[in-house]
Amino acid sequence: MSEDPSKSNEPIKLIDPHVHMSARTTDDYERMAASGVVALIEPAFWLGQPRTTVGAYMDYLSSLVGFERFRASQFGIHHYCTVGLNSKEANNEELAEAVMEILPLYLQKEGVVALGEIGYDDQTELEDRYLRKQIELAKEFDMVIMIHTPHRDKKRGTSRTMDVLKEHGVDPAKVAIDHNNEETVKEVLDRGFWAAFTLYPNTKMGNERMVEIVREYGSEKIFIDSAADWGVSDPLAVSKTFRLMNERGITKADIEQVCYHNALSCYGQSGQINEEDWLNPLPVDQRNLFHGNSVLRGGQTPRVDEDSLIIE
Amino acid sequence: MAFESTSALALLESWLASRLSADAQEWYNKKRADLGSDREFFLAFALVPRNLGKADLELTDQERSACTDWDPSNWTVDQAARIALLLAGPDQSFIARLEKLCATGDVGEQITLYQALILYQNPASLTQRAAEGLRSNVVPVFEAVAHRNPYPQRYFDDAAWNQMVLKALFIGSSLHPIQGLDERANEPLAATLIDSAHERWAAGREVNPELWRCVGPFINTNRLEDVKRALESDNPLSQEAARLALAASNLPEAKMLLEATEDKVLSWEEIHQALRHV
Ligand SMILES: [Zn+2]
């Protein structure tokens, strides 16, 4: 067994590239920071209950680039987000049309690293229409795309999404396909996309399965996230899986690819997320977002106060 | 007022001209020439940092001296360019653009927009907008209105002013960077601050030493007891602040109390600096 990296002196650096922090508490921020999360990406999604007006949608997007970013900074975490019309709400045509009108206002905001999460839910005609429209929008603004793959009929839904992306001439290197599993990973990698895995209790991936996937498919284009939201989910999923992979003999280099570097390489193509942001922040960012905040940074011992590392 | 919007624009653009690379200047000029349509404007506004960078302006003393009471010493290149683009657009679009930017702005944009209030046309009409910035939960946005900004001193009525000072203390921000703090001190503010000090003492919490700055000129016999409490606290900065407050009072008992203390008096600025570095 290799040495436990949480016991080494070098601080652990983790990125959770898919987590809905607006639905989480400050305790979560604290625990994530303490476990080594330096940056996270919050994709625009639905709120568990559908919005009925475009104003509500705008306020949500404004909070992703505004208050939530500040909230994260108070815990020493760099917050980025993606902006898009999710597949569930794409089924409300009137709302969807209005949201398409205002999306361009948000695509170029600071810290917006991709258009997403978009894709299929029930694979309806309206979902298909707004997926395609947003793919075109991403091309117009030269953006990375974050794809949400459906829970039901996942394998075919995932293939279909990739077919659509190909049909629109999108470079697969600029697309992260999320919520993969054993059934979808091979095709996603073979077709040149980034393959993201969500460690989400009960419904998506467990992290013991994740270890085996890394063993089989390597670390070149795979990364992991928690997708923690308002449901039963685990904002420490990335750090737990980091440690589990280590316990089970995955190499340090592979683990760091999967828990840090790959998400950075994928979303870094936006120019909006850069390691320098936390390693060597600009004076203006330190003044405004990280001033007086030394509580959780520098020299801390990362910790995960949990009995078990396993997510099932 | 210090500036017409047109001269503010000229000033900002002169600073940019001596700092931007040729490519960056060319990008700016191109966007500047095409500000008629909202779509082009919002896009250009959003893209400023990635095309011009976010370096500090680092104004020279000479540049800084042209600004009278406006203090852009913390401004950055992207902030100057964004405000220049906003000011350079058609006059009739100005308010609608400002409102839309404030409603949809990211943290950096909101800071930029609020710290420039003084440069906008008809600033007296923007007090509601300024108050909205102060309502923000994002501390640096609050501070963009409250700190190093002559807007509140010039345009807020006492009620708005007092709310701002009280909130600054409440959220753990500082008072010293508020412009006009001594000039705008007033009796109702002193009364409110004394009440808030009592609340904090009752809860066993520390009272920010800067609070006494707004109380000093309004010390009466009742309040003298409160200042005495600060003077006798364990916190050396509170003691120093209490001395400064006593020195600002005309009350004979205050003078006597001051004379009975050791004469080591920091300035408010030194107290502020010491608090920042705790
Ligand atoms: Zn999600």
Side-chain angles (χ1 to χ4, degrees), chain B residues 100-119:
Chain B
K100 191 158 191 179
L101 287 170
C102 287
T104 63
D106 62 40
V107 178
E109 290 172 336
Q110 302 229 18
I111 292 169
T112 302
L113 294 163
Y114 283 113
Q115 72 185 9
L117 282 168
I118 201 71
L119 307 182

Side-chain angles (χ1 to χ4, degrees), chain B residues 4-275:
Chain B
E4 296 299 327
S5 295
T6 45
S7 69
L9 176 59
L11 196 60
L12 293 169
E13 291 189 329
S14 75
W15 296 344
L16 290 169
S18 59
R19 287 164 176 84
L20 295 180
S21 68
D23 282 355
Q25 184 70 54
E26 194 188 324
W27 184 87
Y28 177 84
N29 294 345
K30 215 170 119 214
K31 298 297 162 185
R32 162 81 147 93
D34 192 13
L35 292 170
S37 92
D38 279 347
R39 190 185 154 86
E40 290 305 319
F41 166 73
F42 287 120
L43 199 58
F45 190 90
L47 289 173
V48 166
R50 51 191 96 178
N51 287 281
L52 307 185
K54 297 202 286 182
D56 284 341
L57 275 179
E58 298 190 58
L59 298 176
T60 64
D61 290 346
Q62 199 187 354
E63 285 170 325
R64 177 73 181 73
S65 69
C67 305
T68 65
D69 66 338
W70 169 46
D71 177 5
S73 49
N74 272 351
W75 279 44
T76 52
V77 166
D78 61 308
Q79 292 173 337
R82 278 178 156 166
I83 298 305
L85 290 175
L86 179 60
L87 294 177
D91 280 355
Q92 68 277 13
S93 312
F94 176 81
I95 285 293
R97 287 180 178 180
L98 175 65
E99 291 298 316
K100 191 158 191 179
L101 287 170
C102 287
T104 63
D106 62 40
V107 178
E109 290 172 336
Q110 302 229 18
I111 292 169
T112 302
L113 294 163
Y114 283 113
Q115 72 185 9
L117 282 168
I118 201 71
L119 307 182
Y120 301 154
Q121 45 178 275
N122 194 10
S125 67
L126 297 173
T127 52
Q128 279 309 311
R129 173 45 60 199
E132 196 58 33
L134 292 176
R135 262 176 227 120
S136 173
N137 239 341
V138 180
V139 176
V141 173
F142 170 88
E143 290 177 346
V145 181
H147 287 177
R148 292 175 198 86
N149 192 339
Y151 188 90
Q153 180 183 14
R154 287 201 216 158
Y155 298 106
F156 277 6
D157 60 19
D158 277 356
W161 177 267
N162 294 354
Q163 282 303 326
M164 178 180 77
V165 174
L166 195 62
K167 180 169 175 182
L169 288 168
F170 190 79
I171 64 176
S173 183
S174 42
L175 297 193
H176 184 72
I178 297 177
Q179 291 181 216
L181 200 56
D182 297 320
E183 295 86 337
R184 291 292 305 262
N186 60 77
E187 159 66 38
L189 176 61
T192 307
L193 292 177
I194 291 278
D195 285 348
S196 81
H198 285 178
E199 270 179 53
R200 292 194 64 88
W201 281 328
R205 301 193 174 111
E206 287 258 330
V207 170
N208 184 331
E210 287 194 288
L211 176 146
W212 303 108
R213 180 167 179 180
C214 304
V215 171
F218 304 96
I219 294 176
N220 55 26
T221 16
N222 276 339
R223 292 174 186 155
L224 195 61
E225 290 307 307
D226 299 313
V227 180
K228 217 185 230 170
R229 180 162 179 175
L231 195 61
E232 289 161 359
S233 87
D234 304 336
N235 181 347
L237 291 175
S238 293
Q239 300 164 13
E240 289 289 308
R243 281 189 199 101
L244 281 171
L246 291 171
S249 168
N250 292 322
L251 195 73
E253 296 95 310
K255 298 248 173 274
M256 281 163 57
L257 187 57
L258 180 62
E259 277 156 23
T261 68
E262 303 158 43
D263 59 319
K264 170 172 157 271
V265 178
L266 297 177
S267 67
W268 287 116
E269 174 160 16
E270 287 163 328
I271 290 179
H272 162 70
Q273 292 303 343
L275 285 167

